[in-house]
PDB file of all heavy atoms in Angstrom:
ATOM      1  N   PRO R  35     -14.675   1.968  33.734  1.00  0.00           N
ATOM      2  CA  PRO R  35     -14.959   3.290  33.186  1.00  0.00           C
ATOM      3  C   PRO R  35     -13.856   3.746  32.254  1.00  0.00           C
ATOM      4  O   PRO R  35     -12.704   3.324  32.356  1.00  0.00           O
ATOM      5  CB  PRO R  35     -15.015   4.170  34.436  1.00  0.00           C
ATOM      6  CG  PRO R  35     -14.127   3.472  35.420  1.00  0.00           C
ATOM      7  CD  PRO R  35     -14.320   2.012  35.165  1.00  0.00           C
ATOM      8  N   VAL R  36     -14.243   4.629  31.324  1.00  0.00           N
ATOM      9  CA  VAL R  36     -13.255   5.228  30.433  1.00  0.00           C
ATOM     10  C   VAL R  36     -13.275   6.731  30.660  1.00  0.00           C
ATOM     11  O   VAL R  36     -14.237   7.293  31.170  1.00  0.00           O
ATOM     12  CB  VAL R  36     -13.561   4.926  28.946  1.00  0.00           C
ATOM     13  CG1 VAL R  36     -13.499   3.456  28.703  1.00  0.00           C
ATOM     14  CG2 VAL R  36     -14.923   5.502  28.533  1.00  0.00           C
ATOM     15  N   LYS R  37     -12.203   7.398  30.278  1.00  0.00           N
ATOM     16  CA  LYS R  37     -12.156   8.843  30.383  1.00  0.00           C
ATOM     17  C   LYS R  37     -13.117   9.460  29.374  1.00  0.00           C
ATOM     18  O   LYS R  37     -13.375   8.893  28.313  1.00  0.00           O
ATOM     19  CB  LYS R  37     -10.735   9.343  30.081  1.00  0.00           C
ATOM     20  CG  LYS R  37      -9.702   8.897  31.090  1.00  0.00           C
ATOM     21  CD  LYS R  37      -8.339   9.429  30.682  1.00  0.00           C
ATOM     22  CE  LYS R  37      -7.263   8.983  31.667  1.00  0.00           C
ATOM     23  NZ  LYS R  37      -5.940   9.475  31.266  1.00  0.00           N
ATOM     24  N   SER R  38     -13.621  10.627  29.704  1.00  0.00           N
ATOM     25  CA  SER R  38     -14.440  11.348  28.738  1.00  0.00           C
ATOM     26  C   SER R  38     -13.565  11.787  27.576  1.00  0.00           C
ATOM     27  O   SER R  38     -12.341  11.752  27.634  1.00  0.00           O
ATOM     28  CB  SER R  38     -15.057  12.579  29.392  1.00  0.00           C
ATOM     29  OG  SER R  38     -14.047  13.555  29.623  1.00  0.00           O
ATOM     30  N   LEU R  39     -14.213  12.239  26.488  1.00  0.00           N
ATOM     31  CA  LEU R  39     -13.452  12.698  25.326  1.00  0.00           C
ATOM     32  C   LEU R  39     -12.507  13.834  25.706  1.00  0.00           C
ATOM     33  O   LEU R  39     -11.379  13.894  25.244  1.00  0.00           O
ATOM     34  CB  LEU R  39     -14.413  13.174  24.231  1.00  0.00           C
ATOM     35  CG  LEU R  39     -15.457  12.163  23.757  1.00  0.00           C
ATOM     36  CD1 LEU R  39     -16.207  12.729  22.563  1.00  0.00           C
ATOM     37  CD2 LEU R  39     -14.799  10.852  23.378  1.00  0.00           C
ATOM     38  N   TRP R  40     -12.969  14.759  26.577  1.00  0.00           N
ATOM     39  CA  TRP R  40     -12.120  15.885  26.928  1.00  0.00           C
ATOM     40  C   TRP R  40     -11.001  15.456  27.878  1.00  0.00           C
ATOM     41  O   TRP R  40      -9.885  15.964  27.812  1.00  0.00           O
ATOM     42  CB  TRP R  40     -12.961  16.983  27.561  1.00  0.00           C
ATOM     43  CG  TRP R  40     -14.006  17.486  26.607  1.00  0.00           C
ATOM     44  CD1 TRP R  40     -15.348  17.314  26.687  1.00  0.00           C
ATOM     45  CD2 TRP R  40     -13.777  18.201  25.393  1.00  0.00           C
ATOM     46  NE1 TRP R  40     -15.974  17.878  25.608  1.00  0.00           N
ATOM     47  CE2 TRP R  40     -15.039  18.442  24.794  1.00  0.00           C
ATOM     48  CE3 TRP R  40     -12.634  18.680  24.751  1.00  0.00           C
ATOM     49  CZ2 TRP R  40     -15.190  19.124  23.601  1.00  0.00           C
ATOM     50  CZ3 TRP R  40     -12.781  19.363  23.553  1.00  0.00           C
ATOM     51  CH2 TRP R  40     -14.040  19.582  22.992  1.00  0.00           C
ATOM     52  N   GLU R  41     -11.291  14.509  28.754  1.00  0.00           N
ATOM     53  CA  GLU R  41     -10.259  14.049  29.674  1.00  0.00           C
ATOM     54  C   GLU R  41      -9.185  13.248  28.951  1.00  0.00           C
ATOM     55  O   GLU R  41      -8.008  13.276  29.317  1.00  0.00           O
ATOM     56  CB  GLU R  41     -10.887  13.181  30.762  1.00  0.00           C
ATOM     57  CG  GLU R  41     -11.741  13.961  31.752  1.00  0.00           C
ATOM     58  CD  GLU R  41     -12.476  13.038  32.695  1.00  0.00           C
ATOM     59  OE1 GLU R  41     -12.809  11.918  32.286  1.00  0.00           O
ATOM     60  OE2 GLU R  41     -12.699  13.431  33.835  1.00  0.00           O
ATOM     61  N   SER R  42      -9.581  12.502  27.888  1.00  0.00           N
ATOM     62  CA  SER R  42      -8.611  11.640  27.206  1.00  0.00           C
ATOM     63  C   SER R  42      -7.580  12.461  26.448  1.00  0.00           C
ATOM     64  O   SER R  42      -6.429  12.086  26.326  1.00  0.00           O
ATOM     65  CB  SER R  42      -9.320  10.701  26.232  1.00  0.00           C
ATOM     66  OG  SER R  42      -9.794  11.402  25.109  1.00  0.00           O
ATOM     67  N   LYS R  43      -8.030  13.595  25.883  1.00  0.00           N
ATOM     68  CA  LYS R  43      -7.157  14.476  25.104  1.00  0.00           C
ATOM     69  C   LYS R  43      -6.466  13.756  23.946  1.00  0.00           C
ATOM     70  O   LYS R  43      -5.458  14.216  23.425  1.00  0.00           O
ATOM     71  CB  LYS R  43      -6.103  15.157  25.995  1.00  0.00           C
ATOM     72  CG  LYS R  43      -6.690  16.155  26.988  1.00  0.00           C
ATOM     73  CD  LYS R  43      -5.594  16.863  27.731  1.00  0.00           C
ATOM     74  CE  LYS R  43      -6.130  18.007  28.568  1.00  0.00           C
ATOM     75  NZ  LYS R  43      -7.110  17.651  29.549  1.00  0.00           N
ATOM     76  N   THR R  44      -6.998  12.578  23.561  1.00  0.00           N
ATOM     77  CA  THR R  44      -6.362  11.892  22.432  1.00  0.00           C
ATOM     78  C   THR R  44      -6.894  12.384  21.114  1.00  0.00           C
ATOM     79  O   THR R  44      -6.159  12.536  20.155  1.00  0.00           O
ATOM     80  CB  THR R  44      -6.614  10.384  22.524  1.00  0.00           C
ATOM     81  OG1 THR R  44      -8.014  10.146  22.499  1.00  0.00           O
ATOM     82  CG2 THR R  44      -6.012   9.814  23.781  1.00  0.00           C
ATOM     83  N   LEU R  45      -8.206  12.640  21.043  1.00  0.00           N
ATOM     84  CA  LEU R  45      -8.839  13.015  19.786  1.00  0.00           C
ATOM     85  C   LEU R  45      -8.254  12.194  18.647  1.00  0.00           C
ATOM     86  O   LEU R  45      -7.837  12.688  17.614  1.00  0.00           O
ATOM     87  CB  LEU R  45      -8.667  14.520  19.520  1.00  0.00           C
ATOM     88  CG  LEU R  45      -9.363  15.434  20.544  1.00  0.00           C
ATOM     89  CD1 LEU R  45      -9.077  16.886  20.226  1.00  0.00           C
ATOM     90  CD2 LEU R  45     -10.859  15.188  20.585  1.00  0.00           C
ATOM     91  N   ALA R  46      -8.225  10.892  18.866  1.00  0.00           N
ATOM     92  CA  ALA R  46      -7.464  10.001  18.001  1.00  0.00           C
ATOM     93  C   ALA R  46      -7.940  10.009  16.573  1.00  0.00           C
ATOM     94  O   ALA R  46      -7.158   9.840  15.651  1.00  0.00           O
ATOM     95  CB  ALA R  46      -7.543   8.582  18.560  1.00  0.00           C
ATOM     96  N   SER R  47      -9.238  10.191  16.355  1.00  0.00           N
ATOM     97  CA  SER R  47      -9.731  10.087  14.998  1.00  0.00           C
ATOM     98  C   SER R  47      -9.810  11.427  14.298  1.00  0.00           C
ATOM     99  O   SER R  47     -10.355  11.535  13.220  1.00  0.00           O
ATOM    100  CB  SER R  47     -11.125   9.441  14.998  1.00  0.00           C
ATOM    101  OG  SER R  47     -12.035  10.294  15.675  1.00  0.00           O
ATOM    102  N   ALA R  48      -9.305  12.492  14.951  1.00  0.00           N
ATOM    103  CA  ALA R  48      -9.315  13.803  14.305  1.00  0.00           C
ATOM    104  C   ALA R  48      -8.226  13.809  13.236  1.00  0.00           C
ATOM    105  O   ALA R  48      -7.199  14.459  13.344  1.00  0.00           O
ATOM    106  CB  ALA R  48      -9.075  14.904  15.325  1.00  0.00           C
ATOM    107  N   THR R  49      -8.460  13.052  12.177  1.00  0.00           N
ATOM    108  CA  THR R  49      -7.458  12.899  11.131  1.00  0.00           C
ATOM    109  C   THR R  49      -7.450  14.114  10.227  1.00  0.00           C
ATOM    110  O   THR R  49      -8.407  14.874  10.149  1.00  0.00           O
ATOM    111  CB  THR R  49      -7.743  11.645  10.282  1.00  0.00           C
ATOM    112  OG1 THR R  49      -9.061  11.761   9.739  1.00  0.00           O
ATOM    113  CG2 THR R  49      -7.644  10.405  11.107  1.00  0.00           C
ATOM    114  N   ASP R  50      -6.361  14.287   9.521  1.00  0.00           N
ATOM    115  CA  ASP R  50      -6.289  15.306   8.486  1.00  0.00           C
ATOM    116  C   ASP R  50      -7.143  14.830   7.316  1.00  0.00           C
ATOM    117  O   ASP R  50      -6.786  13.864   6.634  1.00  0.00           O
ATOM    118  CB  ASP R  50      -4.837  15.501   8.028  1.00  0.00           C
ATOM    119  CG  ASP R  50      -3.967  16.048   9.138  1.00  0.00           C
ATOM    120  OD1 ASP R  50      -4.474  16.847   9.925  1.00  0.00           O
ATOM    121  OD2 ASP R  50      -2.792  15.655   9.200  1.00  0.00           O
TER     122      ASP R  50
END
Side-chain angles (χ1 to χ4, degrees):
V36 298
K37 295 179 181 179
S38 71
L39 304 187
W40 299 111
E41 289 173 329
S42 72
K43 293 185 171 58
T44 60
L45 296 177
S47 64
T49 57
D50 295 325

